[in-house]
Amino acid sequence: MTQQYVAGELSLRLGQLQAVATDQERAREVARLRYEAERVPRAALGSVVVRALGLADRLCWDSLECGDTVAFSRETAICADLWEFGVCARLVEEDLALD
């Protein structure tokens, strides 16, 4: 895969995550990651994916705490897609543990 393709696909997924963020601050965090994903070298994209997964996890927990099952469902679907993309693009290891 080319650098532009991988960065574009990551940006697409981050855009989807940004669209479902229920909190403006979290949406801005995703936007910053998206901006970074579009500009860093491929070697740094793994770090962006890891941080995006952590942020997606926080979004999911926020939705659960608010009882917003619709947002939770959307966020988990995007998170799963982001994870699968990161693994398939070899940006993250399949056995990565997020704390």
Side-chain angles (χ1 to χ4, degrees), residues 17 26 30 49-65 72 75-76 78-80 82 98-99:
L17 186 61
R26 299 271 197 238
V30 178
V49 172
V50 170
R51 288 181 284 141
L53 288 167
L55 181 54
D57 183 60
R58 289 191 302 277
L59 285 168
C60 291
W61 278 108
D62 290 348
S63 294
L64 277 179
E65 289 172 1
F72 175 76
E75 292 157 355
T76 57
I78 294 166
C79 187
L82 179 61
L98 297 175
D99 294 326

Side-chain angles (χ1 to χ4, degrees), residues 15-67:
Q16 293 168 337
L17 186 61
Q18 183 180 357
V20 299
T22 55
D23 174 89
Q24 288 300 318
E25 181 55 35
R26 299 271 197 238
R28 284 190 291 274
E29 288 179 57
V30 178
R32 285 189 289 270
L33 284 174
R34 187 176 186 193
Y35 181 85
E36 187 176 338
E38 294 169 352
R39 284 155 181 79
V40 299
R42 181 182 170 110
L45 289 177
S47 171
V48 175
V49 172
V50 170
R51 288 181 284 141
L53 288 167
L55 181 54
D57 183 60
R58 289 191 302 277
L59 285 168
C60 291
W61 278 108
D62 290 348
S63 294
L64 277 179
E65 289 172 1
C66 293

Side-chain angles (χ1 to χ4, degrees), residues 81-99:
D81 184 52
L82 179 61
W83 170 257
E84 185 177 352
F85 172 75
V87 170
C88 291
R90 297 181 183 200
L91 298 174
V92 295
E93 296 294 323
E94 194 166 358
D95 61 352
L96 176 72
L98 297 175
D99 294 326

